[in-house]
Structure formats: C-alpha cells, structure tokens
Amino acid sequence: MAKILTINPGSTSTKIAVYENLKLIFMTNISHSIEELLPFANVVEQFLFRKGMILKTLVENEIKTDDFEIVVGRGGLLHPIESGVYYVNEKMLDDLRTCRYGNHASNLGAMLADEIAQQIPNCRAFIADPVVVDELQDVARISGLPQIPRRSIFHALNQKAIARKYAAQKGVPYEMLNVIIAHLGGGISVAAHHKGRVIDVNQALGGFGPFSPERAGTLDGEQLMKMCFSGKYTEQQIAKMLVGQGGMVAHLGTNDGRIAEQKAHEGDSQALLVLQAMAYNIAKEIGSMIPVLKGKAECVIITGGIANNPIIVKYIKEMIEPILPVVMFPGEDEMEALATAGIRILEGENAKIYD
C-alpha cells in the first residue's frame, strides 16, 4: 500500500499525518510555543527547526520515513495558478524562500515536503490547490478602479476537495458540476464552481466579502478612507482591524464561534445579533453567486468549522433554501485533502509544473 506523508504548517503549529492510501494511520499537531519561535526573524528561518520537529515526531512514533512514496505539503503564497497538484521545483522554492508573494506559515509546506522527500529513495514532493488558485473569468477581475483588480485568494484546498467529494457521492465528475460552496472558518470564502473551475470568489485572505470571526469583510470605502487619514491609527493598526481583529472578534471579543454561540444561548442579545449578521452577510454573498452561474447551480454546499454552528447554519438555510438546496459538509480536513491529491498522482493524474 502506498504511504503518503502530509504536512500543514500553521503560525504556531505543524500538523502532520501519515496515510496508507486514504487510510489514516497517524496524525498529530506539533505545537510551537512563542518562546520556541521567538529567535526566528521570519517564517522561512523556522524551516530547519520545523523539519527537525517533524522527523523527531516520526521517529518517536516508530514511523519509518523510507516507506513514503509521496510527501504533500500545504501550498503557500505563490503567483496565481490553476487548480491542481504541482511538483515542488526550484522556481517554487525560490518564490517561497524569498516570500516574493507574501510571508505566511504555509510557505514552509513545499519546502518541508521537498527536503524530506529528497532524503527518501524514489519519493516525490508535491503541493495541491494553494490559496492562490486563480480560475476567475475575465469579467470577474474588473473592479471600479484599474489599480485594484479583483483577486482570487480563497480556501481552494478545502473547497476543491469538498467539491470532488460531493461529485463522487453524486456519481458524476466534478468537471460536470455547477455548485456554490461557502467555506466558513476564520476567513470566509464563497465560490462559484462552474464545471471544475472557480470562476468567481470573494478574496477571503484580505477580508473581502462577508465579515468573519477575524476579518472585517467589505466595508464602506469612504469611512475606511477617513479612518486611514484621521491620524488616530497606524497602517499596522488598520491592517489588524481588517484581518485578525475585525469581524466577530471586534464585536464580541472572541474569534471562537462556540463561545459566541454559548453567549447567545445564555441570553446575550448582542452575541446572537452578531452571529445572525454574519450569517446574513454569508447568505447575501451566496446569493450573489447565483447569477454568476446563470441560475444553473445545483446546490449550495456549506463547509468549514463554523458549519457546525447551528445559529449560523439555521439563518443561512432560512435565506437560501427557498432558492437552492443546501448540502452540509461541516468541518474541514485539509490533511485528507492533501492525501487525496497524492492518491490522484499515484492513480495516474499528471502533476503540473510551476513556472
């Protein structure tokens, strides 16, 4: 049976999993304390430290690296690319090492996968569906300012994996489906999937679209401009308001939907209102994708961690179900999505070249 190692670096942790085909045989989340990461000036400098932690964890759990045929890392911030599985090559590694397109923990995914694969005979390294997947139709790229075109940055890995899982349940190829998928997590992305391509989606990384647990979402441009030039805030403070300290956390002081849900159940009317407002904005974003697919969407799929929040899901369903069926895939499993990408390669899918 084929053994696959998947690697998903986060800001303060590195999640790894080992699969035999799609059977999970080991998974752990290696936590990195603030004290451990403090000596490193940036994410890339953490490379050797994280590699050592991965190998140490595998040895401690008696997992032989020589058995791996494929290592799949979480894709980082690269230039816009089409969906798919990509070989890790020098061009990709150079862009990630230099943080050419942004500094993010996910940049380490390909670097770690490549380094570990190179130490194993006949092992290959890949990434799959990074957040920069860009399949927008041309008309979707145009904004009201030529200097600020619309961009595609979203939860591509989970969205594509869920779309393929739904297609498999229906017994049809993903490339034949028209569906709208809403990924509800720390960021929220709502995408129109047209015959295997995401032809429109809100730019979730920067908080465009619905507000989320941590992101402010689309704002009144005039009011934002006045804030920026008021002299009361630095650029860094504004950036934090938009991503990290915006959305639900700005209103309720928490980015944990479970805590907000508990507050609402205990009679906190503000917590209930904010959760409903977030759901309202998500439903509006879903509605905006219906004409993108010219009214031919088969259903709306809701996924991500917040898809477990009954207050939000109930509100979205009340707005959307009179128009389209709503299908639930709560939670997210990025490790399984990475492993599935590896299986597709083993089954003969051609990996793409990053250039």
Side-chain angles (χ1 to χ4, degrees):
M1 299 178 80
K3 265 196 177 175
I4 299 171
L5 172 65
T6 61
I7 304 173
N8 183 6
S11 57
T12 58
S13 67
T14 305
K15 186 178 285 187
I16 63 171
V18 178
Y19 291 83
E20 286 185 348
N21 288 343
L22 276 181
K23 179 184 177 184
L24 176 66
I25 61 173
F26 175 75
M27 181 185 291
T28 191
N29 196 21
I30 307 168
S31 296
H32 310 308
S33 68
I34 294 173
E35 291 74 23
E36 286 177 315
L37 299 181
L38 197 59
F40 305 108
N42 55 47
V43 165
V44 173
E45 287 189 6
Q46 299 171 15
F47 168 70
L48 290 177
F49 165 73
R50 296 212 194 201
K51 172 194 164 187
M53 292 294 290
I54 291 171
L55 295 177
K56 177 174 178 285
T57 300
L58 293 173
V59 169
E60 288 175 349
N61 288 275
E62 300 181 348
I63 295 171
K64 296 180 180 178
T65 58
D66 287 350
D67 294 337
F68 295 132
E69 292 185 38
I70 284 179
V71 185
V72 189
R74 176 80 185 273
L77 295 178
L78 301 163
H79 67 66
I81 57 177
E82 285 193 337
S83 173
V85 185
Y86 285 78
Y87 289 106
V88 178
N89 60 16
E90 280 305 313
K91 168 62 176 170
M92 180 186 295
L93 291 171
D94 183 61
D95 284 350
L96 294 171
R97 289 185 189 117
T98 59
C99 297
R100 183 177 179 184
Y101 298 99
N103 180 36
H104 194 270
S106 61
N107 288 8
L108 290 168
M111 297 167 59
L112 291 165
D114 178 71
E115 180 76 8
I116 291 171
Q118 285 205 30
Q119 298 176 16
I120 304 168
N122 303 314
C123 187
R124 297 170 289 168
F126 302 90
I127 64 165
D129 293 329
V131 295
V132 295
V133 165
D134 184 347
E135 300 168 333
L136 295 185
Q137 54 187 341
D138 289 341
V139 70
R141 300 182 188 279
I142 307 299
S143 79
L145 284 177
Q147 301 95 321
I148 308 178
R150 292 189 66 237
R151 297 185 295 159
S152 174
I153 305 178
F154 70 109
H155 303 91
L157 180 64
N158 192 50
Q159 287 230 11
K160 290 283 184 174
I162 292 300
R164 291 188 180 98
K165 188 175 288 189
Y166 173 76
Q169 289 184 1
K170 298 287 290 184
V172 297
Y174 166 51
E175 290 73 19
M176 290 180 62
L177 288 179
N178 282 353
V179 294
I180 298 167
I181 300 183
H183 175 105
L184 314 183
I188 291 171
S189 60
V190 180
H193 293 245
H194 174 65
K195 299 188 183 303
R197 296 176 65 84
V198 172
I199 61 172
D200 203 349
V201 65
N202 63 296
Q203 200 275 85
L205 181 67
F208 182 85
F211 75 82
S212 76
E214 298 179 344
R215 298 170 194 181
T218 304
L219 299 169
D220 181 323
E222 183 180 13
Q223 291 188 61
L224 179 60
M225 177 187 68
K226 288 179 178 179
M227 281 183 63
C228 290
F229 289 94
S230 68
K232 296 179 180 178
Y233 310 101
T234 65
E235 179 181 348
Q236 187 177 20
Q237 286 173 322
I238 293 287
K240 278 290 186 182
M241 288 180 189
L242 296 178
V243 179
Q245 295 174 2
M248 186 174 74
V249 71
H251 288 283
L252 303 179
T254 180
N255 61 1
D256 191 326
R258 294 165 298 182
I259 293 175
E261 179 191 347
Q262 184 63 34
K263 286 183 177 181
H265 285 315
E266 291 172 353
D268 187 327
S269 60
Q270 178 67 6
L272 178 60
L273 180 62
V274 170
L275 287 173
Q276 289 177 334
M278 186 158 61
Y280 174 80
N281 279 273
I282 293 165
K284 281 175 60 180
E285 192 74 20
I286 290 169
S288 74
M289 293 298 167
I290 295 173
V292 170
L293 296 174
K294 300 179 180 177
K296 295 179 180 178
E298 179 175 318
C299 68
V300 173
I301 299 172
I302 299 178
T303 185
I306 299 178
N308 289 302
N309 187 305
I311 296 173
I312 289 175
V313 171
K314 180 176 181 289
Y315 202 100
I316 293 172
K317 284 186 172 183
E318 287 175 351
M319 291 180 69
I320 297 299
E321 282 189 325
I323 308 167
L324 283 171
V326 175
V327 178
M328 299 300 301
F329 281 85
E332 57 184 293
D333 194 339
E334 293 171 334
M335 307 310 280
E336 182 180 306
L338 293 172
T340 301
I343 292 295
R344 299 206 315 267
I345 294 298
L346 291 171
E347 290 178 345
E349 181 177 317
N350 291 324
K352 297 180 179 180
I353 305 296
Y354 178 80
D355 54 23

